[in-house]
Structure formats: C-alpha cells, structure tokens
Amino acid sequence: MKVINRALATFKVALKRLLSQPGLALATVIGLIAAVALTMSVPLYADAIYYRTLRAGLFDAPAEGTVSKARPPFAYMFRYVGSWYDPLEWEEVAPVDAFLSSPGQPGGVDLGLRLQTLVRHVKTDNFRLFPADQAQYADVREPLAWVSYGFASDIENHIDIIEGQFPPPAPADVNSPVPVLISAARAEELGLQVGETFTTFAPKTANNKTSIQIPIEIAGVWRATDPTEDYWFYEPSALEDLLLIPEGTFMQRVSPVIEDEVYVALWYLVMDGSNVHAKDAGPLLQKLTTAQQQTAALLPNMALAISPQAPLAAYQKSSRLLTILLYAFSVPIIGLLLAFIILVVGLTVNRQRNEIAVLRSRGATSGQVVSIAAVEGLILGAIALAVAIPFSEWIAHTIGRATSFLNFTAVSNLRVQSTTTTLQYGILAVGLALAAQLIPTVGASRFTIVTYKQDRARSMKPPWWQRAFLDFILMGVSIYGLYVLRQQGSIILPGAETGASDPFANPLLFLLPALMTFSLTLVMIRFLPLIMNILGWIAGQLGSVGTMLAARQLARTPGFYTGPLLLLTLTLSLSAFTASLATTLDNHLYDQTYYKIGSDMHVVELGEDTQMSGGGFSIGMGAGGGNAAATPQEDLGPRWNFLPVSEYRKVPGIQGSARVGTYGATSRLSGGSQRGVFMGIDRLDFGNVAARSWRNDYSPYRLGTLMNSLAATPNAVLVPGQYMAQNQLKVGDTIRVDVDTYGTRSELDLKIAGWFNLWPTWYPGAEDEETLFVGNLDYLYEQAGDQFPYDVWLKTDRNVDPEELVTQIRALNLNVLDYDDALARVTTEQQRPERQGLFGFLSIGFAAAALLTVLGFFLYALFSFRRRFIELGILRAIGLSAGQMTSFLAWELAFLILTGLVAGTGFGVLVSNLFIPALQVGSGLEAQIPPYQVIIAWDAIFRIWMLFGVMFVVALVVLAALLMRMRIFQAVKLGETA
C-alpha cells in the first residue's frame, strides 16, 4: 500500500508540473509526435510498398499446357498428375482429400489464412468419343474427339447453362447413359445437341485390363459466367474437352467401372491475404512447408503447383531490407527531432533547477526527482503515441506519393495498416525520447541548494565534447571517409557485396555528409565565443550598446545557446544538402536517361531490302550493321527503300525527327588503326531532336555550333577530344576512316571540324566503341552509293502516350520494330521503392525538423527573457532605455539566427560540392556517364531563410511587448526567486 501511495503521489506531482507549464509540455508533445510518427512510418511504408509488389508478383505459371491466368494473390494449388506418375484409385486419394478439404479445421490443413474459395477437381484419363451407333467400330475408327470425365466442386454456380440443364444423378444401371455437360466451344465445333447420345471408349491398356465403354447423354451445354473470377483454377478453355458430371455420378457410376480412375486430382484454395504484413511472411512460409510435408505423407508425389511461396520469401527479405535502409537514412532526421526534444526538456529543467535543488535539500532523493521526470515523460509519450499512430499512416501514404524532395505528385495506391510491429517501433521511439528527456534531469538532481549556488557562481567549464576534442575527431573521420569515397567510388557496408552500384542501397553514402556537417557545426560552436568577443569589442568601439551587450552575452554563456544553434545549423545544412542532392539526382536521372536514348523517343525502323529473296526487311539498330544477304548489283537499282523521315512529323505530338545511323568504323593513322563507331546524322534536324539530351559540359562548343561546323564541308567530322590529344590532331586536320555498312566498306577522308568529350548514346571505353566519329549521314550514303538502315530520333510533346504515338506512326506505313521512350523510363525509376522512400521520408522529416527548429528557437527566446528577467530589470534600472533593451535582445537573437543560417547554408553548400560528385557510384559505364552536375537548391534554402525571418520578426515583437510590460521594481525585488 505504501508503494502505491508513493506512486500516486509521484503521478500527482508530475501531472501538476505538466499543467503548470502547458506551453513546454505542448512543445515536447509536438516533438514526440513527430519523432514517433516518423519512426513508425518507416516499417509502415516498407510493408505497404512491398505488399503492392507481392500482389503484382503473385501470378500463376501455365498449368498443364494451358494459357496462364492471373491468380489471386494468395492462391494455393495442390495437385497430383497421373501422367507424371501413375493413375490412382479414389480410395488412395481420399485421405488427402479430407485433409485439404477442411482448411483451418481439426484434422485439416492449416495455411494461416482465412479461406475464401475451395475448389476440388478430379478427372479421368482420356476417352474416345463416338456416336452411339458406331461403338462396335471404336477400335478402328477415328473418334469425334478425345474427352475425359471429371467434376469440379460448386461449378454449377459459376457457369451458364446455355442449353439443357445441369446433369441429374446418373441411373444406377451401367447400361443407361450418363448425363453430362459439354462445353459450348466443343458443342459448336462437333455439332452436338442436347439429348443426343454417344459412347466413350477406352481401349485395353496397362491400367485397364479390359476395354471400357460408357454411354453418355448430352444433358446441357455450358459456358463460364465470368472467366476472370477467382473460382477458375484453370482457364475455362482448358476444360473444353471435359465431360462435366456431378461428384456423386463420378463416385457411383464412373469410378466403379474404371481401374485407377483418378488421372488428375487438384485442390485449389484461395485464401484471404488482405491483412498479411511483413511479420506474417515467416509464419506463413513455415505453415506452407508443414502443409507440403503433410500432403506428401498422405499421398506421395503430391505437388504444390501454385503458391505464394517465392514471392512471400522475397517480400519478407525486401521489406526487412528496406526498413533497415530507411532507418539508416533517417538517422540524421530522427537525431534532429531528438535534439529538439532535448532542447525543450533542457529549457524546462533549467527553469526547474532551483526547484529541484530545494527538493533535494529538503530530503528528496535523486531517484525521486528522476521518477517524477520519468512519469512526466511517460504521460507525454503516451499522448504522443496515441496521436502518432494515425499520423504515421498519413506519412506512409504521403511517402508513397513522393517523386522527389518536397514533391508529392505521384499516385499512391498503398495499403497502409498499423500492426503490432509498428506499435513496437513506436514504443521504442518513445523509450529513446524518454531517455533523452531524463538526461538533463539526472544531471540537475545531483545538486542541492548549496551546490547549485556554488555551481552558478563558479565559471562554466567547456562542455565535455570540447575537452575531448570530439569535433576534430569527427572531422577527421569524415575527411577520411570522403577520401575513401573518392578513391574507391563507394563506402562498403559490413557484409555487403563489393561494388554495390546503387546509392539508394548504401546509407553510409548519406550518413557521411551528415557526419561532416555535424563536425563542422561543433567546430564552429567551439570558436563562436571568440568571434563574439571580437564583435563585442568592435561594437564597444562604435558605441552601439545593444550590439555590444548582445555579443558579450553570447560570448559569456555559450552553453545556453549551444542547443538551439546546433539545431538550427544542422537543420539548414542538412536541408540544403538533401535538397541539393535530390535536385541533382532528379536532373541526373533525366540527363542519364536522355543520354542513353538520345532524344524523347528512339525508334528502330525497318528498311526494305529490295535485293533479299522475297523483298524482306532488315533492321537498322546498333553499330556495325551486320552482313548483307545479297551482293548489290548495279542493274537492280537502290538496295534499300525508306519513306522520308519527314513523314514522322505528320503525327500529332511529334515536333521533330532526325535520322541517326550508327555503323562500325576504323580510323587509319600513321601510328596504326583504332576501332570505333561512325554516327551519321541529319545536321539540320539533329540539333532540334537532341537538345534535351545535350549538356554544355559535353563539349566546349554549343550543340548548334557543332551542327554549323558540319555544314561547312560535306566531309566534316566531330571527334572526341581525347582522340585528338592521343593522336596529336587539331581542328582542320584530315583523317581516313573506313565505315562498314551492311557488307559495304566505304573509305572516307574526313576533315575534323570540332571536338567533344561526351556525345549522347556513346560510352567511351565500351568494347569496339572507344572512338566516335560524328559526320553527315548524306555524305556517307553518297560515298557508299546507297542508303542503309538507320534509327530515328524523335522530339515529342511532354504528355504524349508513346504506345499511341507508335500506333499512329505505323498507320503511316512506317515500319517501326521497336522504340524506347525517355519519360517512361524516368517515371519507372521515380517509382522505385528505395527512391520514393528516401525522398519522401527526408522531405517530411526535414519539413518537420525545420518547423520544430523554428519552434525551438522561439521557446529559447522566451525562456532566455524569463531566465534573465532580473538581469534585464537591473539594466533597465541603471538607465538603459526600452529601445536599447529591445536592440540588445534583437541583436542577440539576430546573431544566433544569422550565424546558424549563414553557417548552415555554407556547410550545406560545401558538403554538397564535396560529396555529391563522389556519390555517383556503380559499376559499368552507364552508371558513370554522364557525370553528376551539382545543383544547389537555392529555392529550398531561400524558403527556410524566409521561415526563420518570419520567426525572428514574431519573436522580436513578443520580446518587445514583454519589455514594455516589465515593471522594474518587481524584477529587482524578485531577486533569485525567479
């Protein structure tokens, strides 16, 4: 009872303390909600995005040679096939039938999910179908068709009887016809009518000791009501040769007269997987393995033909990996949110330090003081957790709509559901936040009233991290990491495969810039008091009282503003880096895609080869062209026929078109030969269609200038700068290049008219493509004496449908074999789960961090005023005017905000320029070409500056109002009781 009373007393004290400072309690709850919601949103998003992938991947492979159909996500098919092993008697199948026909019941199969649909299907081996009057000739005549007997449970509710009726039970007399259903397709093909009688015949075989004849009567003709519904275990067309009979007829009439009648037996179970989450994958896989073992024990050679086994395993692995990656990426964000919580709790504890010291002096133990703070934290954590659960679901949906940093324009169809796993993550986040809340209280609880006064009287020591030179150590680590990144092209995770090529799969690539930003901020804070002393001396010489007091105040008390300044600098610097990285990655995605394709669309056109047998077609794609099927002859005329490329521009949505032919080439110089590719272009059209794939760093010349240089002479050529340097060539020199065009070799004397470093679709160093020669396509054809197959590059409107565009192109008799669309590739890449998760989470996280940083600074300004209420009152009493006091507080706040904004922006820009180029990791030329172009996101930085500018004005107005309302005598009389 005594323990309960103490607990209640502690709870009451904690609740009263929270209610006595509602502003700080509310600020702490807001920070906790943000931290907990962001923490819970990571597993929610990972589970939702891969559940979508799981549903997309759960499709059945073709069964028994039939056309495959899309399956429900959680469909299971257990099957026995007699043609693979041996047909069976029904008595041998009955035990497994009883086991699989009662899922979730005692003695039945347990797959861990609720049953939606169960279909049992059994059929016999094939019979020959004959008219009734030809039964005696069954051994020698060709049958009308090959059919089999079979039943499917509940099929009568999924078919339409278009003629006749569903078969009634068969008569017991073995000589009486068996009523059967036949498919509409087979009835139409064979001309079968309801009421007609036939004979089915099976000759004597190894399984049948005697020949078998079973008379049948067509009772009805059926057709599937909805071939796409979940019921259909096979495509309905696969059952066209099946004589459908009721299960009772199969057991009582057909089974007794056939030996080993079960030729195929299957059990098709559709389970409800709408509530499956990543945590359920393991148990479901285990239950499926158990079910396989049990069915194999009941009936050997049973096969699991359809199941979500492989997708579930991939789902489990992928979801867990994405969760780990996103948490690693989010360390800086969650760190900023925890820093805000620590800042607010620090303000609270600083306000309560005198109260805590009094409690300790009056007999309270440190444990009791910490217990009160712990109860406060638990109350706030419980409130935050309750609010964060629905908020985290909204964040997960928002992340699913992310296409870039602070861009949420994608369509989201995610299934987001909270689970016990996400709740556990939320509780863990509350626990971490509670630990962060208790740290300042533990430090304050060590002081009694006497030691507290002594601590305030003595000079403040530098913080422990400065005494341990942690800032310089972290700086050294980050510089070494940058060195390794630039030397090796990657930072390898422990246990990861060497040469990881995806920056979105390596969080160390993003943690390293955050580490350098943090170390730079700590170094700045170390030297900030010295800078403020210098500013104070300068202000004193200039006679500015407010500026001097502000600078000296900041120089004297660095420990009080370290938290808000650290939070502000890190928020801005990491926001600047992340926004710049996102902008750079977005632009590079377009650059990389357009570089690979060359234009908006790259069309592979068929050219007619008039000298091939039958006037066939050949394809113009890639370098070298290939070998001709026939040797050109002069009297046969032109070998290749093409429609004018201008025909493409007749299609609505196409703004420009240009021929681009690529052929194998060899340059012959005095030092030897060098293989490469000759790219022939239409110089008048190429500049227009390739404008979106061109960057100014590809060449010292503009694209239009290069096109004009090709117009100077027909044999003009553009070559790589490295090729010119290696062979000591200069603009104006002539080189000999042999070009192979479909079996025809043309010797060209080309005059160098310009040079480039990179050219769209060309990857320097690729096999047989070390050198690229860009020349006039018409000049090549003139020297070769004919046209040859080429590709067509198209410039299109932004919102065109590529498939519709190709359909319209083909309607003009332009023979398009294949195409590639740049924007479609970009859209696919933007929807990658890792990319969406990273940008979405960082966008929301940094937006929350920025808002909380503003709130933290505002609270700092208010509590700074309250903490120094006596000091300000004395300054007012000794003669400082209200304007000078306002100037004092304004300059103090301005110094901190400007320092954080300037330093944060500078650090963000510096880290962006240092690290973003080094983040272009990957194997292969396509991953490295073109190189990153660092783009600083000044628009995002400006928005943050504006946000803090508004905060500064609001805080200054509030402080000025408080100064005007301050009564000097009250401030002086309060003494240190404040």
Side-chain angles (χ1 to χ4, degrees), residues 474-772:
L474 294 179
M475 177 67 71
V477 172
S478 59
I479 292 174
Y480 176 74
L482 176 62
Y483 170 78
V484 172
L485 184 59
R486 289 191 169 181
Q487 292 296 316
Q488 299 181 357
S490 181
I491 300 293
I492 305 300
L493 283 167
E497 294 183 4
T498 303
S501 60
D502 190 355
F504 297 104
N506 193 344
L508 290 183
L509 299 178
F510 295 88
L511 292 178
L512 194 58
L515 179 62
M516 176 167 281
T517 300
F518 182 62
S519 61
L520 286 171
T521 304
L522 293 181
V523 171
M524 178 203 68
I525 291 174
R526 175 186 288 272
F527 293 104
L528 189 60
L530 177 60
I531 297 173
M532 289 302 168
N533 272 323
I534 296 174
L535 289 177
W537 179 84
I538 295 174
Q541 300 301 313
L542 297 176
S544 175
V545 176
T547 307
M548 179 189 67
L549 289 175
R552 290 183 176 178
Q553 172 68 23
L554 294 175
R556 278 198 312 269
T557 59
F560 187 69
Y561 62 77
T562 295
L565 183 59
L566 180 68
L567 188 62
L568 170 59
T569 307
L570 286 177
T571 299
L572 190 62
S573 58
L574 290 177
S575 296
F577 169 74
T578 305
S580 300
L581 175 63
T583 305
T584 300
L585 289 176
D586 277 346
N587 280 273
H588 184 262
L589 176 58
Y590 282 88
D591 291 344
Q592 191 176 42
T593 304
Y594 271 93
Y595 189 90
K596 180 178 180 61
I597 295 176
S599 58
D600 292 327
M601 284 187 67
H602 186 142
V603 173
V604 179
E605 183 182 344
L606 292 174
E608 183 181 5
D609 186 351
T610 62
Q611 297 178 17
M612 287 182 64
S613 177
F617 292 95
S618 186
I619 306 168
M621 49 190 307
N627 297 320
T631 303
Q633 300 177 15
E634 294 182 2
D635 57 345
L636 296 179
R639 176 180 173 185
W640 304 93
N641 286 338
F642 299 94
L643 290 176
V645 73
S646 59
E647 292 292 303
Y648 285 89
R649 295 193 282 273
K650 295 180 179 179
V651 176
I654 296 182
Q655 301 177 13
S657 58
R659 298 175 302 167
V660 178
T662 54
Y663 313 100
T666 304
S667 65
R668 289 187 286 167
L669 300 167
S670 59
S673 62
Q674 187 170 357
R675 288 193 56 80
V677 174
F678 182 89
M679 177 183 287
I681 63 175
D682 292 327
R683 61 173 183 78
L684 293 177
D685 300 321
F686 184 83
N688 180 36
V689 300
R692 291 173 181 166
S693 63
W694 185 263
R695 281 189 349 196
N696 292 332
D697 60 330
Y698 291 173
S699 172
Y701 307 100
R702 294 180 179 273
L703 182 59
T705 303
L706 293 173
M707 296 299 100
N708 290 336
S709 66
L710 289 179
T713 57
N715 66 334
V717 68
L718 308 174
V719 298
Q722 185 179 6
Y723 174 80
M724 294 179 64
Q726 288 176 347
N727 298 285
Q728 299 181 352
L729 299 171
K730 62 182 182 298
V731 174
D733 289 347
T734 300
I735 57 175
R736 172 66 61 88
V737 178
D738 296 336
V739 181
D740 296 323
T741 49
Y742 290 78
T744 301
R745 170 163 294 189
S746 303
E747 296 182 355
L748 307 181
D749 290 322
L750 302 175
K751 183 178 180 180
I752 298 177
W755 59 276
F756 53 84
N757 296 316
L758 293 173
W759 193 272
T761 71
W762 175 59
Y763 293 92
E767 185 177 359
D768 294 334
E769 294 186 19
E770 294 182 2
T771 302
L772 175 67

Side-chain angles (χ1 to χ4, degrees), residues 172-468:
D173 183 6
V174 294
N175 296 317
S176 300
V178 175
V180 300
L181 273 182
I182 193 165
S183 67
R186 194 59 66 232
E188 182 178 352
E189 177 188 351
L190 301 178
L192 307 181
Q193 301 294 326
V194 173
E196 291 183 332
T197 58
F198 296 86
T199 296
T200 58
F201 173 78
K204 180 179 178 181
T205 63
N207 293 319
N208 298 322
K209 297 179 181 179
T210 61
S211 60
I212 302 172
Q213 291 189 16
I214 302 177
I216 65 170
E217 179 183 358
I218 307 298
V221 179
W222 69 273
R223 180 172 55 205
T225 303
D226 180 7
T228 64
E229 65 178 326
D230 293 349
Y231 170 85
W232 293 104
F233 46 96
Y234 292 158
E235 292 278 1
S237 59
L239 305 178
E240 290 179 354
D241 293 321
L242 185 69
L243 301 178
L244 275 173
I245 56 177
E247 182 177 352
T249 300
F250 186 90
M251 299 299 177
Q252 297 166 13
R253 268 295 300 272
V254 175
S255 179
V257 299
I258 304 176
E259 298 177 6
D260 298 329
E261 68 276 13
V262 178
Y263 191 74
V264 172
L266 67 83
W267 294 261
Y268 183 62
L269 300 91
V270 179
M271 315 302 287
D272 180 12
S274 58
N275 292 319
V276 171
H277 299 277
K279 68 179 181 61
D280 303 320
L284 288 177
L285 289 170
Q286 185 175 2
K287 288 181 181 296
L288 181 57
T289 301
T290 302
Q292 287 180 275
Q293 295 171 347
Q294 291 173 325
T295 54
L298 293 171
L299 181 61
N301 300 319
M302 279 285 290
L304 184 62
I306 300 170
S307 80
Q309 188 171 22
L312 270 176
Y315 170 53
Q316 181 186 33
K317 179 181 178 181
S318 301
S319 179
R320 186 187 302 117
L321 177 61
L322 183 60
T323 301
I324 294 172
L325 288 175
L326 288 181
Y327 272 126
F329 288 134
S330 63
V331 167
I333 304 296
I334 297 177
L336 287 176
L337 299 180
L338 290 177
F340 169 80
I341 295 172
I342 293 174
L343 171 65
V344 176
V345 173
L347 294 175
T348 306
V349 172
N350 283 332
R351 186 181 179 188
Q352 297 172 345
R353 288 194 68 184
N354 194 64
E355 172 190 335
I356 293 173
V358 171
L359 288 175
R360 289 283 286 111
S361 299
R362 293 181 176 178
T365 64
S366 297
Q368 290 173 324
V369 173
V370 174
S371 297
I372 295 173
V375 173
E376 291 181 29
L378 289 174
I379 294 173
L380 297 179
I383 297 173
L385 184 61
V387 177
I389 292 175
F391 190 45
S392 64
E393 295 180 359
W394 174 83
I395 291 176
H397 276 296
T398 305
I399 292 174
R401 292 192 292 269
T403 57
S404 180
F405 188 71
L406 298 177
N407 185 342
F408 302 96
T409 56
V411 177
S412 174
N413 58 348
L414 299 182
R415 180 216 62 173
V416 177
Q417 294 179 353
S418 295
T419 64
T420 55
T421 300
T422 56
L423 183 61
Q424 291 170 1
Y425 279 106
I427 294 173
L428 178 62
V430 170
L432 292 175
L434 178 61
Q437 291 175 268
L438 292 180
I439 291 174
T441 304
V442 172
S445 66
R446 295 184 293 108
F447 295 97
T448 63
I449 192 64
V450 175
T451 56
Y452 171 59
K453 300 300 181 181
Q454 292 173 348
D455 182 71
R456 292 195 60 183
R458 68 170 62 101
S459 59
M460 296 285 292
K461 291 183 179 180
W464 67 268
W465 57 267
Q466 287 187 0
R467 299 195 301 270

